[in-house]
Amino acid sequence: GRGLNKTHRPHTEWWIVLIIGLLLTVSSLSLFFISFDPASNFSQRNLFIKNAIYTVMGLVLMIFLYFYNYNRLQKHSLKIFLVTIFTMLSMSFLGDHFLFIMKSNIEFYIDLRLVEIPIAGLYIPIVTISYAGILSNIKDGGFKELILVLVLAILSIAVLMANSSVAKCIIVMG
């Protein structure tokens, strides 16, 4: 069993990690030098700080997702799906009265003072992964399960259309 685990363990593509590191370094350095240019205004200085925060958050998330076992989520896929749908619906009704802020009457963000996280950007991967878990949990594939799958698909697309742009809906359906 141990030899089989070593054979099927994912191998890190170090050249991709190197390219990502180089791109992050070059873009961060450019933004750093632009932000301290005397001709720049104050908002660009905040942009560098936000970029640094997003970069660190992205790297931590990328490392976590690389090593995470998604089989643990499979039994909770329906719960994750419904919580995500409920969150998107609560944004429609609560909006500015909770943690959410609205930008340009299209997108909702979670406002954490220094960073703003786009909800619809998180919605698509979470719903897709949980929907795949729901499909894999269906064993016999009877008529009842088919209706459940169709209702959940229609619900997710309707909620996305109510809270986001049509382009993101086309991406999900495509």
Side-chain angles (χ1 to χ4, degrees), residues 66-115:
Y66 181 76
F67 291 107
Y68 189 74
N69 182 5
Y70 290 98
N71 290 331
R72 295 179 185 174
L73 291 177
Q74 186 173 359
K75 61 184 172 185
H76 304 290
S77 351
L78 184 61
K79 294 174 198 167
I80 293 169
F81 184 88
L82 294 175
V83 165
T84 308
I85 294 289
F86 176 75
T87 303
M88 290 294 284
L89 287 174
S90 67
M91 285 188 313
S92 298
F93 299 112
L94 296 176
D96 295 338
H97 303 292
F98 196 55
L99 286 174
F100 310 116
I101 60 172
M102 187 177 227
K103 295 247 179 158
S104 71
N105 294 333
I106 296 175
E107 296 284 340
F108 280 100
Y109 290 78
I110 294 178
D111 185 15
L112 300 175
R113 301 293 180 229
L114 283 176
V115 291

Side-chain angles (χ1 to χ4, degrees), residues 9-28:
R9 187 181 333 173
H11 299 287
T12 306
E13 299 287 340
W14 289 107
W15 64 275
I16 293 177
V17 174
L18 179 67
I19 289 172
I20 290 171
L22 286 173
L23 289 172
L24 283 173
T25 304
V26 168
S27 65
S28 296

Side-chain angles (χ1 to χ4, degrees), residues 128-166:
T128 305
I129 291 171
S130 61
Y131 195 73
I134 291 168
L135 290 176
S136 66
N137 283 339
I138 295 175
K139 305 275 189 280
D140 58 359
F143 184 74
K144 183 179 173 183
E145 285 82 11
L146 177 65
I147 296 298
L148 173 70
V149 167
L150 288 175
V151 166
L152 292 177
I154 291 169
L155 179 66
S156 66
I157 292 170
V159 168
L160 186 60
M161 286 179 71
N163 289 311
S164 185
S165 64
V166 177

